[in-house]
């Protein structure tokens, strides 16, 4: 069974940084499409980033240039480094693993929850 466990969320001031981690288990990790989504109170779920293996990551325009994605295959861990955080980045952040057969594209995955597996989420709060 696929399990995704996030950590690293917290509260920071605007301009600060956080690094989220997602430990994956239960499937072959290295060549899967994985990424991060987020949901702010009262707003729809938003795709943040997806990538396959160590390939090019596709970021949402709202975070491009501020967030980076990396993997440690030996630790089966996906990282989201978030720099220059803004109050509008405040949200619950979810690690996702996309099932084989689904395209690894934010534009296709956004608005849906049935494309794969989700972690329990980690809260990020950015104050001004």
């Amino acid at each position: 069974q696929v399990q995704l466990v996030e950590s690293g969320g917290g509260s920071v001031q605007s301009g600060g940084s956080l690094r989220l981690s997602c430990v994956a288990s239960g499937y072959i990790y290295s060549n899967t499409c994985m990424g991060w989504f987020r949901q702010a109170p009262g707003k729809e779920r938003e795709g943040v980033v997806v990538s396959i293996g160590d390939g090019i990551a596709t970021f949402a325009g709202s975070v491009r240039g501020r967030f980076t994605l990396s993997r440690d295959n030996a630790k089966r861990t996906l990282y989201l480094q978030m720099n220059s955080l803004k109050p509008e980045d405040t949200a619950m952040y979810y690690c996702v693993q996309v099932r084989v057969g689904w395209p690894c594209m934010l534009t296709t995955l956004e608005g849906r929850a049935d494309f794969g597996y989700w972690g329990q989420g980690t809260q990020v709060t950015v104050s001004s």
Side-chain angles (χ1 to χ4, degrees):
Q1 180 157 351
V2 174
Q3 285 192 322
L4 304 169
V5 180
E6 304 100 330
S7 62
S11 297
V12 296
Q13 291 191 327
S14 181
S17 298
L18 284 172
R19 188 177 79 158
L20 306 184
S21 300
C22 170
V23 179
S25 62
Y27 63 93
I28 299 173
Y29 165 83
S30 60
N31 291 319
T32 56
C33 176
M34 295 190 68
W36 295 87
F37 278 61
R38 67 184 182 184
Q39 187 166 22
K43 294 188 178 181
E44 292 189 356
R45 194 176 293 134
E46 174 189 21
V48 176
V49 60
V50 289
S51 76
I52 296 178
D54 293 324
I56 296 174
T58 303
F59 288 90
S62 58
V63 305
R64 194 173 298 128
R66 300 187 296 121
F67 291 11
T68 57
L69 187 72
S70 61
R71 301 188 186 212
D72 184 329
N73 291 330
K75 296 182 178 180
R76 302 173 69 88
T77 301
L78 185 71
Y79 299 102
L80 182 66
Q81 178 67 44
M82 306 185 296
N83 298 326
S84 302
L85 283 163
K86 304 176 181 180
E88 51 263 43
D89 294 318
T90 294
M92 184 71 79
Y93 283 71
Y94 299 93
C95 179
V96 300
Q97 185 244 327
V98 180
R99 288 194 186 94
V100 173
W102 283 82
C104 195
M105 297 173 60
L106 286 179
T107 51
T108 301
L109 302 175
E110 280 190 325
R112 306 196 63 148
D114 60 342
F115 57 77
Y117 303 93
W118 294 72
Q120 83 287 353
T122 185
Q123 178 68 38
V124 171
T125 303
V126 185
S127 58
S128 57

